[in-house]
Amino acid sequence: SQQGEEDPQALSIQEGENATMNCSYKTSINNLQWYRQNSGRGLVHLILIRSNEREKHSGRLRVTLDTSKKSSSLLITASRAADTASYFCATDRDSNYQLIWGAGTKLIIKP
Amino acid sequence: GAGVSQSPSNKVTEKGKDVELRCDPISGHTALYWYRQSLGQGLEFLIYFQGNSAPDKSGLPSDRFSAERTGGSVSTLTIQRTQQEDSAVYLCASSLPFIGGVGGYTFGSGTRLTVV
């Protein structure tokens, strides 16, 4: 079964609003990553947060990690039409290079 | 090259035929991964290459699937006797050795395989 589960499955908001997506996982992890995928093709790495980190920022992105709840959130502030994409979280277990992926959140930004 | 290159970008094949998908990773990236993504789903791990080590083939769904990586660079994923359930986007990624969470993967644009 999938390690990561994104929530919600789909999200539609107005341009300029903030978008929050959540990811839950089942087993202990070493790192958690967020990726963006446009038009069902290649994925772009957004941000990586390590298990000993609680929050990380990159531009308009803010990622939090709560290892006690086995969950992470991705916040995109001041959304733009170009943010329309699917967003995936991926986790790796200790000493395991395989990433386990969720099914993603489809984000639509309405102009 | 500057990015991970995959070819072809699209492939339509008849059921029962063999197909070869190619991945050219970023120069210097010793790790190479193949994933499969079905419509609306997350990524399914297929195979992992790291340098000259034996590949991890644990994700290959059947013995119809095989992959090789020549000279530690270009990789070819081969699917023999294709079936309709093989239809998916096949994604290749490369990275530096994944040690301590250094960086993420760089993905290619994928090959969309349709078996008719």
Side-chain angles (χ1 to χ4, degrees), chain B residues 34-64:
Chain B
W34 282 98
Y35 285 87
R36 178 170 71 174
Q37 185 179 28
S38 299
L39 187 64
Q41 301 296 312
L43 277 68
E44 174 190 4
F45 169 79
L46 296 178
I47 189 168
Y48 163 72
F49 295 90
Q50 174 58 272
N52 295 321
S53 301
D56 178 350
K57 304 179 181 180
S58 60
L60 295 179
S62 77
D63 58 10
R64 296 187 295 104

PDB file of all heavy atoms in Angstrom, chain B residues 34-64:
ATOM      1  N   TRP B  34      13.908   4.000 -12.064  1.00  0.00           N
ATOM      2  CA  TRP B  34      12.749   3.914 -12.952  1.00  0.00           C
ATOM      3  C   TRP B  34      11.497   3.778 -12.087  1.00  0.00           C
ATOM      4  O   TRP B  34      11.462   2.964 -11.152  1.00  0.00           O
ATOM      5  CB  TRP B  34      12.835   2.707 -13.883  1.00  0.00           C
ATOM      6  CG  TRP B  34      13.763   2.871 -15.049  1.00  0.00           C
ATOM      7  CD1 TRP B  34      15.041   2.422 -15.154  1.00  0.00           C
ATOM      8  CD2 TRP B  34      13.451   3.494 -16.299  1.00  0.00           C
ATOM      9  NE1 TRP B  34      15.555   2.736 -16.391  1.00  0.00           N
ATOM     10  CE2 TRP B  34      14.613   3.394 -17.115  1.00  0.00           C
ATOM     11  CE3 TRP B  34      12.337   4.135 -16.819  1.00  0.00           C
ATOM     12  CZ2 TRP B  34      14.666   3.910 -18.412  1.00  0.00           C
ATOM     13  CZ3 TRP B  34      12.391   4.636 -18.102  1.00  0.00           C
ATOM     14  CH2 TRP B  34      13.539   4.527 -18.891  1.00  0.00           C
ATOM     15  N   TYR B  35      10.492   4.591 -12.446  1.00  0.00           N
ATOM     16  CA  TYR B  35       9.201   4.531 -11.795  1.00  0.00           C
ATOM     17  C   TYR B  35       8.128   4.404 -12.865  1.00  0.00           C
ATOM     18  O   TYR B  35       8.312   4.788 -14.017  1.00  0.00           O
ATOM     19  CB  TYR B  35       8.916   5.801 -10.975  1.00  0.00           C
ATOM     20  CG  TYR B  35       9.666   5.905  -9.683  1.00  0.00           C
ATOM     21  CD1 TYR B  35      10.944   6.468  -9.640  1.00  0.00           C
ATOM     22  CD2 TYR B  35       9.108   5.462  -8.480  1.00  0.00           C
ATOM     23  CE1 TYR B  35      11.637   6.574  -8.438  1.00  0.00           C
ATOM     24  CE2 TYR B  35       9.797   5.565  -7.284  1.00  0.00           C
ATOM     25  CZ  TYR B  35      11.055   6.124  -7.273  1.00  0.00           C
ATOM     26  OH  TYR B  35      11.742   6.220  -6.090  1.00  0.00           O
ATOM     27  N   ARG B  36       6.971   3.916 -12.456  1.00  0.00           N
ATOM     28  CA  ARG B  36       5.823   3.838 -13.337  1.00  0.00           C
ATOM     29  C   ARG B  36       4.668   4.563 -12.658  1.00  0.00           C
ATOM     30  O   ARG B  36       4.480   4.439 -11.445  1.00  0.00           O
ATOM     31  CB  ARG B  36       5.453   2.369 -13.600  1.00  0.00           C
ATOM     32  CG  ARG B  36       4.242   2.175 -14.462  1.00  0.00           C
ATOM     33  CD  ARG B  36       4.089   0.734 -14.871  1.00  0.00           C
ATOM     34  NE  ARG B  36       3.692  -0.139 -13.790  1.00  0.00           N
ATOM     35  CZ  ARG B  36       3.380  -1.418 -13.949  1.00  0.00           C
ATOM     36  NH1 ARG B  36       3.450  -1.954 -15.167  1.00  0.00           N
ATOM     37  NH2 ARG B  36       3.023  -2.152 -12.923  1.00  0.00           N
ATOM     38  N   GLN B  37       3.928   5.308 -13.462  1.00  0.00           N
ATOM     39  CA  GLN B  37       2.795   6.047 -12.911  1.00  0.00           C
ATOM     40  C   GLN B  37       1.569   5.786 -13.778  1.00  0.00           C
ATOM     41  O   GLN B  37       1.548   6.154 -14.955  1.00  0.00           O
ATOM     42  CB  GLN B  37       3.089   7.549 -12.867  1.00  0.00           C
ATOM     43  CG  GLN B  37       1.999   8.364 -12.193  1.00  0.00           C
ATOM     44  CD  GLN B  37       2.328   9.840 -12.155  1.00  0.00           C
ATOM     45  OE1 GLN B  37       3.041  10.357 -13.015  1.00  0.00           O
ATOM     46  NE2 GLN B  37       1.831  10.539 -11.143  1.00  0.00           N
ATOM     47  N   SER B  38       0.575   5.169 -13.177  1.00  0.00           N
ATOM     48  CA  SER B  38      -0.685   4.973 -13.866  1.00  0.00           C
ATOM     49  C   SER B  38      -1.532   6.219 -13.687  1.00  0.00           C
ATOM     50  O   SER B  38      -1.302   7.018 -12.781  1.00  0.00           O
ATOM     51  CB  SER B  38      -1.403   3.739 -13.314  1.00  0.00           C
ATOM     52  OG  SER B  38      -0.611   2.585 -13.520  1.00  0.00           O
ATOM     53  N   LEU B  39      -2.535   6.369 -14.530  1.00  0.00           N
ATOM     54  CA  LEU B  39      -3.329   7.588 -14.570  1.00  0.00           C
ATOM     55  C   LEU B  39      -3.895   7.923 -13.188  1.00  0.00           C
ATOM     56  O   LEU B  39      -4.554   7.106 -12.561  1.00  0.00           O
ATOM     57  CB  LEU B  39      -4.464   7.420 -15.581  1.00  0.00           C
ATOM     58  CG  LEU B  39      -5.293   8.672 -15.871  1.00  0.00           C
ATOM     59  CD1 LEU B  39      -4.415   9.755 -16.517  1.00  0.00           C
ATOM     60  CD2 LEU B  39      -6.479   8.343 -16.770  1.00  0.00           C
ATOM     61  N   GLY B  40      -3.614   9.128 -12.710  1.00  0.00           N
ATOM     62  CA  GLY B  40      -4.162   9.598 -11.451  1.00  0.00           C
ATOM     63  C   GLY B  40      -3.587   8.954 -10.212  1.00  0.00           C
ATOM     64  O   GLY B  40      -4.136   9.114  -9.118  1.00  0.00           O
ATOM     65  N   GLN B  41      -2.479   8.263 -10.382  1.00  0.00           N
ATOM     66  CA  GLN B  41      -1.875   7.563  -9.246  1.00  0.00           C
ATOM     67  C   GLN B  41      -0.504   8.134  -8.900  1.00  0.00           C
ATOM     68  O   GLN B  41       0.069   8.927  -9.653  1.00  0.00           O
ATOM     69  CB  GLN B  41      -1.736   6.070  -9.578  1.00  0.00           C
ATOM     70  CG  GLN B  41      -3.037   5.377  -9.891  1.00  0.00           C
ATOM     71  CD  GLN B  41      -3.965   5.362  -8.706  1.00  0.00           C
ATOM     72  OE1 GLN B  41      -3.584   5.022  -7.586  1.00  0.00           O
ATOM     73  NE2 GLN B  41      -5.206   5.764  -8.925  1.00  0.00           N
ATOM     74  N   GLY B  42      -0.001   7.687  -7.752  1.00  0.00           N
ATOM     75  CA  GLY B  42       1.374   8.028  -7.394  1.00  0.00           C
ATOM     76  C   GLY B  42       2.346   7.164  -8.160  1.00  0.00           C
ATOM     77  O   GLY B  42       1.971   6.392  -9.034  1.00  0.00           O
ATOM     78  N   LEU B  43       3.603   7.308  -7.825  1.00  0.00           N
ATOM     79  CA  LEU B  43       4.641   6.588  -8.542  1.00  0.00           C
ATOM     80  C   LEU B  43       4.904   5.230  -7.928  1.00  0.00           C
ATOM     81  O   LEU B  43       4.935   5.083  -6.707  1.00  0.00           O
ATOM     82  CB  LEU B  43       5.939   7.409  -8.537  1.00  0.00           C
ATOM     83  CG  LEU B  43       6.052   8.483  -9.607  1.00  0.00           C
ATOM     84  CD1 LEU B  43       5.072   9.607  -9.375  1.00  0.00           C
ATOM     85  CD2 LEU B  43       7.469   9.006  -9.675  1.00  0.00           C
ATOM     86  N   GLU B  44       5.123   4.273  -8.795  1.00  0.00           N
ATOM     87  CA  GLU B  44       5.427   2.901  -8.382  1.00  0.00           C
ATOM     88  C   GLU B  44       6.889   2.615  -8.718  1.00  0.00           C
ATOM     89  O   GLU B  44       7.299   2.707  -9.877  1.00  0.00           O
ATOM     90  CB  GLU B  44       4.498   1.934  -9.129  1.00  0.00           C
ATOM     91  CG  GLU B  44       4.797   0.462  -8.900  1.00  0.00           C
ATOM     92  CD  GLU B  44       3.997  -0.427  -9.848  1.00  0.00           C
ATOM     93  OE1 GLU B  44       3.284   0.122 -10.720  1.00  0.00           O
ATOM     94  OE2 GLU B  44       4.100  -1.650  -9.725  1.00  0.00           O
ATOM     95  N   PHE B  45       7.666   2.281  -7.720  1.00  0.00           N
ATOM     96  CA  PHE B  45       9.092   1.991  -7.917  1.00  0.00           C
ATOM     97  C   PHE B  45       9.268   0.736  -8.758  1.00  0.00           C
ATOM     98  O   PHE B  45       8.599  -0.273  -8.542  1.00  0.00           O
ATOM     99  CB  PHE B  45       9.753   1.799  -6.552  1.00  0.00           C
ATOM    100  CG  PHE B  45      11.152   1.248  -6.620  1.00  0.00           C
ATOM    101  CD1 PHE B  45      12.216   2.060  -6.933  1.00  0.00           C
ATOM    102  CD2 PHE B  45      11.382  -0.101  -6.376  1.00  0.00           C
ATOM    103  CE1 PHE B  45      13.502   1.547  -6.992  1.00  0.00           C
ATOM    104  CE2 PHE B  45      12.668  -0.619  -6.427  1.00  0.00           C
ATOM    105  CZ  PHE B  45      13.732   0.203  -6.743  1.00  0.00           C
ATOM    106  N   LEU B  46      10.177   0.814  -9.716  1.00  0.00           N
ATOM    107  CA  LEU B  46      10.482  -0.344 -10.545  1.00  0.00           C
ATOM    108  C   LEU B  46      11.885  -0.881 -10.277  1.00  0.00           C
ATOM    109  O   LEU B  46      12.053  -2.043  -9.926  1.00  0.00           O
ATOM    110  CB  LEU B  46      10.345   0.017 -12.031  1.00  0.00           C
ATOM    111  CG  LEU B  46       8.953   0.408 -12.517  1.00  0.00           C
ATOM    112  CD1 LEU B  46       8.997   0.782 -13.995  1.00  0.00           C
ATOM    113  CD2 LEU B  46       7.958  -0.723 -12.271  1.00  0.00           C
ATOM    114  N   ILE B  47      12.896  -0.028 -10.453  1.00  0.00           N
ATOM    115  CA  ILE B  47      14.271  -0.516 -10.364  1.00  0.00           C
ATOM    116  C   ILE B  47      15.196   0.642 -10.021  1.00  0.00           C
ATOM    117  O   ILE B  47      14.909   1.801 -10.329  1.00  0.00           O
ATOM    118  CB  ILE B  47      14.705  -1.197 -11.680  1.00  0.00           C
ATOM    119  CG1 ILE B  47      16.063  -1.906 -11.533  1.00  0.00           C
ATOM    120  CG2 ILE B  47      14.736  -0.205 -12.830  1.00  0.00           C
ATOM    121  CD1 ILE B  47      16.381  -2.827 -12.710  1.00  0.00           C
ATOM    122  N   TYR B  48      16.303   0.321  -9.374  1.00  0.00           N
ATOM    123  CA  TYR B  48      17.264   1.320  -8.918  1.00  0.00           C
ATOM    124  C   TYR B  48      18.670   0.852  -9.266  1.00  0.00           C
ATOM    125  O   TYR B  48      19.032  -0.290  -8.992  1.00  0.00           O
ATOM    126  CB  TYR B  48      17.115   1.498  -7.412  1.00  0.00           C
ATOM    127  CG  TYR B  48      18.255   2.169  -6.683  1.00  0.00           C
ATOM    128  CD1 TYR B  48      18.483   3.533  -6.816  1.00  0.00           C
ATOM    129  CD2 TYR B  48      19.078   1.442  -5.820  1.00  0.00           C
ATOM    130  CE1 TYR B  48      19.512   4.149  -6.109  1.00  0.00           C
ATOM    131  CE2 TYR B  48      20.098   2.060  -5.120  1.00  0.00           C
ATOM    132  CZ  TYR B  48      20.312   3.411  -5.270  1.00  0.00           C
ATOM    133  OH  TYR B  48      21.324   4.028  -4.579  1.00  0.00           O
ATOM    134  N   PHE B  49      19.452   1.749  -9.851  1.00  0.00           N
ATOM    135  CA  PHE B  49      20.865   1.502 -10.139  1.00  0.00           C
ATOM    136  C   PHE B  49      21.706   2.474  -9.316  1.00  0.00           C
ATOM    137  O   PHE B  49      21.393   3.653  -9.216  1.00  0.00           O
ATOM    138  CB  PHE B  49      21.183   1.755 -11.619  1.00  0.00           C
ATOM    139  CG  PHE B  49      20.508   0.823 -12.575  1.00  0.00           C
ATOM    140  CD1 PHE B  49      19.265   1.121 -13.109  1.00  0.00           C
ATOM    141  CD2 PHE B  49      21.127  -0.357 -12.966  1.00  0.00           C
ATOM    142  CE1 PHE B  49      18.646   0.275 -14.000  1.00  0.00           C
ATOM    143  CE2 PHE B  49      20.520  -1.219 -13.864  1.00  0.00           C
ATOM    144  CZ  PHE B  49      19.268  -0.902 -14.382  1.00  0.00           C
ATOM    145  N   GLN B  50      22.785   1.967  -8.742  1.00  0.00           N
ATOM    146  CA  GLN B  50      23.721   2.830  -8.022  1.00  0.00           C
ATOM    147  C   GLN B  50      25.128   2.424  -8.420  1.00  0.00           C
ATOM    148  O   GLN B  50      25.609   1.355  -8.031  1.00  0.00           O
ATOM    149  CB  GLN B  50      23.531   2.690  -6.517  1.00  0.00           C
ATOM    150  CG  GLN B  50      24.568   3.437  -5.682  1.00  0.00           C
ATOM    151  CD  GLN B  50      24.609   4.927  -5.973  1.00  0.00           C
ATOM    152  OE1 GLN B  50      25.312   5.395  -6.871  1.00  0.00           O
ATOM    153  NE2 GLN B  50      23.847   5.688  -5.240  1.00  0.00           N
ATOM    154  N   GLY B  51      25.754   3.269  -9.200  1.00  0.00           N
ATOM    155  CA  GLY B  51      27.126   3.023  -9.611  1.00  0.00           C
ATOM    156  C   GLY B  51      27.277   1.655 -10.246  1.00  0.00           C
ATOM    157  O   GLY B  51      26.507   1.264 -11.116  1.00  0.00           O
ATOM    158  N   ASN B  52      28.275   0.928  -9.790  1.00  0.00           N
ATOM    159  CA  ASN B  52      28.552  -0.393 -10.328  1.00  0.00           C
ATOM    160  C   ASN B  52      27.926  -1.505  -9.493  1.00  0.00           C
ATOM    161  O   ASN B  52      28.175  -2.690  -9.757  1.00  0.00           O
ATOM    162  CB  ASN B  52      30.064  -0.615 -10.410  1.00  0.00           C
ATOM    163  CG  ASN B  52      30.709   0.328 -11.400  1.00  0.00           C
ATOM    164  OD1 ASN B  52      30.156   0.601 -12.455  1.00  0.00           O
ATOM    165  ND2 ASN B  52      31.882   0.854 -11.051  1.00  0.00           N
ATOM    166  N   SER B  53      27.122  -1.120  -8.496  1.00  0.00           N
ATOM    167  CA  SER B  53      26.505  -2.136  -7.641  1.00  0.00           C
ATOM    168  C   SER B  53      25.398  -2.857  -8.400  1.00  0.00           C
ATOM    169  O   SER B  53      24.864  -2.348  -9.396  1.00  0.00           O
ATOM    170  CB  SER B  53      25.922  -1.486  -6.391  1.00  0.00           C
ATOM    171  OG  SER B  53      26.911  -0.806  -5.672  1.00  0.00           O
ATOM    172  N   ALA B  54      25.074  -4.051  -7.917  1.00  0.00           N
ATOM    173  CA  ALA B  54      23.963  -4.796  -8.516  1.00  0.00           C
ATOM    174  C   ALA B  54      22.679  -3.995  -8.328  1.00  0.00           C
ATOM    175  O   ALA B  54      22.422  -3.454  -7.256  1.00  0.00           O
ATOM    176  CB  ALA B  54      23.841  -6.162  -7.850  1.00  0.00           C
ATOM    177  N   PRO B  55      21.870  -3.885  -9.373  1.00  0.00           N
ATOM    178  CA  PRO B  55      20.646  -3.086  -9.255  1.00  0.00           C
ATOM    179  C   PRO B  55      19.623  -3.734  -8.327  1.00  0.00           C
ATOM    180  O   PRO B  55      19.608  -4.956  -8.162  1.00  0.00           O
ATOM    181  CB  PRO B  55      20.119  -3.034 -10.696  1.00  0.00           C
ATOM    182  CG  PRO B  55      20.693  -4.234 -11.366  1.00  0.00           C
ATOM    183  CD  PRO B  55      22.035  -4.462 -10.725  1.00  0.00           C
ATOM    184  N   ASP B  56      18.782  -2.888  -7.760  1.00  0.00           N
ATOM    185  CA  ASP B  56      17.648  -3.377  -6.979  1.00  0.00           C
ATOM    186  C   ASP B  56      16.467  -3.504  -7.927  1.00  0.00           C
ATOM    187  O   ASP B  56      15.889  -2.504  -8.330  1.00  0.00           O
ATOM    188  CB  ASP B  56      17.330  -2.401  -5.839  1.00  0.00           C
ATOM    189  CG  ASP B  56      16.121  -2.833  -5.021  1.00  0.00           C
ATOM    190  OD1 ASP B  56      15.402  -3.771  -5.421  1.00  0.00           O
ATOM    191  OD2 ASP B  56      15.886  -2.212  -3.971  1.00  0.00           O
ATOM    192  N   LYS B  57      16.105  -4.734  -8.243  1.00  0.00           N
ATOM    193  CA  LYS B  57      15.038  -4.984  -9.204  1.00  0.00           C
ATOM    194  C   LYS B  57      13.723  -5.347  -8.517  1.00  0.00           C
ATOM    195  O   LYS B  57      12.799  -5.849  -9.160  1.00  0.00           O
ATOM    196  CB  LYS B  57      15.429  -6.157 -10.111  1.00  0.00           C
ATOM    197  CG  LYS B  57      16.744  -5.977 -10.833  1.00  0.00           C
ATOM    198  CD  LYS B  57      17.055  -7.201 -11.676  1.00  0.00           C
ATOM    199  CE  LYS B  57      18.391  -7.068 -12.390  1.00  0.00           C
ATOM    200  NZ  LYS B  57      18.706  -8.255 -13.212  1.00  0.00           N
ATOM    201  N   SER B  58      13.645  -5.099  -7.223  1.00  0.00           N
ATOM    202  CA  SER B  58      12.524  -5.618  -6.442  1.00  0.00           C
ATOM    203  C   SER B  58      11.171  -5.075  -6.873  1.00  0.00           C
ATOM    204  O   SER B  58      10.136  -5.667  -6.573  1.00  0.00           O
ATOM    205  CB  SER B  58      12.742  -5.330  -4.959  1.00  0.00           C
ATOM    206  OG  SER B  58      12.837  -3.936  -4.732  1.00  0.00           O
ATOM    207  N   GLY B  59      11.153  -3.939  -7.586  1.00  0.00           N
ATOM    208  CA  GLY B  59       9.891  -3.353  -7.991  1.00  0.00           C
ATOM    209  C   GLY B  59       9.381  -3.793  -9.347  1.00  0.00           C
ATOM    210  O   GLY B  59       8.252  -3.468  -9.725  1.00  0.00           O
ATOM    211  N   LEU B  60      10.172  -4.526 -10.080  1.00  0.00           N
ATOM    212  CA  LEU B  60       9.734  -4.957 -11.411  1.00  0.00           C
ATOM    213  C   LEU B  60       8.532  -5.883 -11.267  1.00  0.00           C
ATOM    214  O   LEU B  60       8.591  -6.871 -10.535  1.00  0.00           O
ATOM    215  CB  LEU B  60      10.865  -5.672 -12.149  1.00  0.00           C
ATOM    216  CG  LEU B  60      12.079  -4.810 -12.491  1.00  0.00           C
ATOM    217  CD1 LEU B  60      13.146  -5.620 -13.194  1.00  0.00           C
ATOM    218  CD2 LEU B  60      11.674  -3.618 -13.344  1.00  0.00           C
ATOM    219  N   PRO B  61       7.435  -5.595 -11.959  1.00  0.00           N
ATOM    220  CA  PRO B  61       6.184  -6.325 -11.725  1.00  0.00           C
ATOM    221  C   PRO B  61       6.173  -7.739 -12.269  1.00  0.00           C
ATOM    222  O   PRO B  61       5.382  -8.556 -11.793  1.00  0.00           O
ATOM    223  CB  PRO B  61       5.130  -5.453 -12.414  1.00  0.00           C
ATOM    224  CG  PRO B  61       5.876  -4.660 -13.434  1.00  0.00           C
ATOM    225  CD  PRO B  61       7.248  -4.452 -12.892  1.00  0.00           C
ATOM    226  N   SER B  62       6.991  -8.041 -13.249  1.00  0.00           N
ATOM    227  CA  SER B  62       7.022  -9.407 -13.788  1.00  0.00           C
ATOM    228  C   SER B  62       8.334  -9.609 -14.530  1.00  0.00           C
ATOM    229  O   SER B  62       9.098  -8.661 -14.739  1.00  0.00           O
ATOM    230  CB  SER B  62       5.834  -9.625 -14.737  1.00  0.00           C
ATOM    231  OG  SER B  62       6.071  -9.017 -15.988  1.00  0.00           O
ATOM    232  N   ASP B  63       8.581 -10.837 -14.925  1.00  0.00           N
ATOM    233  CA  ASP B  63       9.831 -11.126 -15.631  1.00  0.00           C
ATOM    234  C   ASP B  63       9.799 -10.619 -17.073  1.00  0.00           C
ATOM    235  O   ASP B  63      10.775 -10.768 -17.807  1.00  0.00           O
ATOM    236  CB  ASP B  63      10.160 -12.621 -15.596  1.00  0.00           C
ATOM    237  CG  ASP B  63       9.064 -13.494 -16.193  1.00  0.00           C
ATOM    238  OD1 ASP B  63       8.126 -12.934 -16.807  1.00  0.00           O
ATOM    239  OD2 ASP B  63       9.136 -14.708 -16.055  1.00  0.00           O
ATOM    240  N   ARG B  64       8.694 -10.009 -17.471  1.00  0.00           N
ATOM    241  CA  ARG B  64       8.670  -9.376 -18.794  1.00  0.00           C
ATOM    242  C   ARG B  64       9.418  -8.042 -18.777  1.00  0.00           C
ATOM    243  O   ARG B  64       9.732  -7.506 -19.833  1.00  0.00           O
ATOM    244  CB  ARG B  64       7.223  -9.143 -19.244  1.00  0.00           C
ATOM    245  CG  ARG B  64       6.408 -10.406 -19.451  1.00  0.00           C
ATOM    246  CD  ARG B  64       5.035 -10.101 -20.049  1.00  0.00           C
ATOM    247  NE  ARG B  64       4.191  -9.321 -19.150  1.00  0.00           N
ATOM    248  CZ  ARG B  64       3.948  -8.017 -19.298  1.00  0.00           C
ATOM    249  NH1 ARG B  64       4.468  -7.353 -20.309  1.00  0.00           N
ATOM    250  NH2 ARG B  64       3.160  -7.388 -18.439  1.00  0.00           N
TER     251      ARG B  64
END
